[in-house]
Amino acid sequence: MTTTTLAVLVPLLPFLGAATGLLLGRTAPGFVRPLAVLPTLTALALAVVVAVRQGGGRAVDAA
């Protein structure tokens, strides 16, 4: 996946997890907690990947 695609997924995954949790909350109460945690942790991992890809260059010394 490209960095842009990963960057789009970072805010989208928790939103989709929350929306799904709201829709399934009453019908599958045991499914809501993992549905809240897993997309958020996945978004965290993707954010780290995006940050590493964006900041992967060498720093230039200003002195």
Side-chain angles (χ1 to χ4, degrees), residues 23-51:
L23 293 174
L24 297 177
R26 295 192 186 263
T27 59
F31 187 62
V32 174
R33 185 173 291 149
L35 195 59
V37 173
L38 292 177
T40 305
L41 289 177
T42 305
L44 173 68
L46 289 178
V48 169
V49 169
V50 170

Side-chain angles (χ1 to χ4, degrees), residues 6-20 35-36 38-46:
L6 294 177
V8 168
L9 287 176
V10 170
L12 191 62
L13 283 174
F15 174 75
L16 291 175
T20 307
L35 195 59
L38 292 177
T40 305
L41 289 177
T42 305
L44 173 68
L46 289 178

